[in-house]
């Protein structure tokens, strides 16, 4: 009878736990889009450093991963969440604290206490020591639920750090290609300027021979001025893009080392429709 009563009490206390146990909902996504046919290897299986095969790009991305302040903040938050998990879980165990104190005082025998014989030692000293032991029995599951919450926060900060890494790699790579695009535009602008100078010289000679008018010369000069101004605009764009990359890599503004030319890259295949839905979980 006593065992049955104890069992009922234990079952009642267990049933009064704080909140239900978390269970991940079961979601069955379709293997592919309707009407889509996935074939061949997915581009998602390719590592970012194997996608473009540019050593300078890889060095820039690695530098950003090592020095970027946003990524360092995200890593610090992971450590903070892990420490908070340890603090919360520690409440499941007994807490022991100790105290110790030493007190000493010395009084003067010369003063208002005339009844005290001269030479009496009034020094007093004593020592105190103690300890306390406390243990919160997690009968209702409060600490267990707090531990589960802290663990979920810890996992969440880790996923956030991975998200920062993905975003950082994407930003550095796209900005690097913007820089290479600006380099190519600058090269085209310089070739255009050289062509404009040759055209102006040729038009000037034709006017001297009576085969062109002054209007043709002015038009050739305008073409040269436009090409020259485009060079200045491209150089300004290159400097701004380099500053953006320097910010992502936590460096002072300065030149960025270049790798392969933009025209030397192999364009990666487009992501087709119909990829498995498990790709969304990545």
């Amino acid at each position: 009878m006593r065992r049955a009563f104890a069992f009922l009490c234990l079952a009642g206390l267990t049933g009064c736990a704080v909140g239900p146990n978390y269970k991940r909902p079961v979601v069955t996504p379709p293997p592919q889009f309707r009407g889509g046919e996935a074939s061949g290897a997915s581009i998602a299986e390719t590592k970012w450093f194997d996608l473009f095969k540019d050593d300078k790009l890889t060095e820039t991305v690695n530098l950003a991963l090592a020095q970027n302040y946003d990524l360092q903040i995200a890593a610090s938050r992971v450590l903070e969440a892990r420490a908070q998990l340890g603090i919360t879980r520690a409440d499941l165990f007994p807490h022991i604290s100790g105290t110790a104190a030493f007190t000493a005082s010395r009084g003067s025998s010369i003063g208002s206490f005339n009844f005290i014989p001269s030479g009496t030692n009034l020094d007093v000293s004593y020592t105190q020591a103690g300890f306390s032991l406390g243990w919160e029995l997690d009968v209702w599951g409060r600490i267990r639920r707090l531990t589960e919450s802290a663990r979920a926060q810890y996992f969440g900060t880790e996923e956030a750090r991975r998200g920062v890494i993905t975003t950082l790699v994407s930003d550095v790579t796209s900005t690097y290609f913007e820089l290479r695009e600006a380099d190519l535009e600058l090269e085209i602008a310089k070739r255009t300027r050289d062509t404009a100078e040759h055209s102006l010289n040729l038009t000037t000679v034709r006017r001297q021979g009576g085969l062109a008018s002054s209007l043709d010369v002015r038009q050739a000069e305008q073409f040269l001025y436009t090409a020259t101004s485009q060079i200045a605009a491209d150089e300004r764009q290159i400097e701004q893009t380099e500053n953006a990359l320097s910010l992502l890599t936590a460096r002072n503004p300065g030149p960025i080392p270049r790798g392969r030319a933009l025209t030397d890259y192999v364009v990666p295949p487009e992501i087709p429709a119909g990829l498995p839905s498990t790709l969304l979980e990545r």
Side-chain angles (χ1 to χ4, degrees):
M1 187 65 181
R2 293 181 178 179
R3 293 183 179 179
F5 178 74
F7 177 77
L8 291 176
C9 292
L10 182 61
L13 293 176
T14 305
C16 296
V18 179
N21 294 327
Y22 171 77
K23 294 182 179 180
R24 184 176 180 178
V26 179
V27 178
T28 306
Q32 64 183 22
F33 293 107
R34 181 181 180 183
E37 296 181 359
S39 60
S42 171
I43 190 177
E45 300 291 344
T46 307
K47 303 296 183 181
W48 64 265
F49 44 81
D50 293 332
L51 187 59
F52 300 105
K53 302 183 183 302
D54 189 335
D55 295 336
K56 295 300 181 181
L57 174 59
T58 303
E59 292 177 3
T60 304
V61 173
N62 289 332
L63 183 62
L65 293 176
Q67 300 186 169
N68 185 264
Y69 292 125
D70 292 335
L71 185 56
Q72 293 177 8
I73 292 173
S76 299
R77 288 175 177 170
V78 172
L79 297 178
E80 179 184 359
R82 185 170 65 182
Q84 186 62 41
L85 172 61
I87 294 173
T88 304
R89 188 170 56 183
D91 292 337
L92 291 170
F93 306 100
H95 294 272
I96 301 177
S97 62
T99 59
F102 175 77
T103 304
S105 63
R106 173 176 296 179
S108 177
S109 60
I110 302 175
S112 58
F113 303 99
N114 296 326
F115 59 88
I116 299 178
S118 178
T120 302
N121 187 10
L122 300 178
D123 296 346
V124 178
S125 63
Y126 57 91
T127 303
Q128 291 179 331
F131 73 95
S132 62
L133 173 63
W135 190 7
E136 179 181 353
L137 298 178
D138 192 24
V139 177
W140 312 109
R142 183 184 71 88
I143 300 177
R144 293 194 298 271
R145 290 296 180 262
L146 290 176
T147 302
E148 292 176 1
S149 176
R151 185 180 294 109
Q153 291 290 339
Y154 169 49
F155 292 157
T157 54
E158 174 62 24
E159 293 300 326
R161 185 187 68 87
R162 295 179 181 178
V164 172
I165 292 177
T166 303
T167 303
L168 181 60
V169 172
S170 175
D171 290 344
V172 172
T173 304
S174 59
T175 307
Y176 179 83
F177 282 115
E178 290 177 3
L179 178 61
R180 300 304 287 145
E181 180 183 0
D183 292 337
L184 181 59
E185 291 178 354
L186 177 61
E187 182 180 351
I188 295 174
K190 289 181 178 180
R191 291 201 300 263
T192 303
R193 180 197 57 187
D194 296 338
T195 302
E197 289 180 350
H198 179 72
S199 176
L200 176 60
N201 295 332
L202 180 60
T203 304
T204 302
V205 172
R206 287 170 57 85
R207 186 190 64 177
Q208 293 175 355
L211 299 177
S213 63
S214 298
L215 179 59
D216 296 332
V217 176
R218 295 295 179 266
Q219 290 178 345
E221 290 177 349
Q222 181 63 33
F223 180 48
L224 176 61
Y225 297 153
T226 302
T228 304
S229 64
Q230 184 61 39
I231 291 177
D234 292 337
E235 291 176 346
R236 182 172 61 253
Q237 180 64 31
I238 289 174
E239 185 174 352
Q240 292 176 352
T241 309
E242 286 180 335
N243 292 341
L245 273 176
S246 299
L247 179 63
L248 291 173
T249 54
R251 296 188 303 179
N252 293 326
I256 301 297
R258 269 74 156 175
R260 302 171 60 183
L262 189 62
T263 54
D264 295 336
Y265 287 98
V266 178
V267 180
E270 295 183 358
I271 300 178
L275 292 178
S277 300
T278 53
L279 181 62
L280 297 177
E281 296 182 355
R282 302 183 187 178

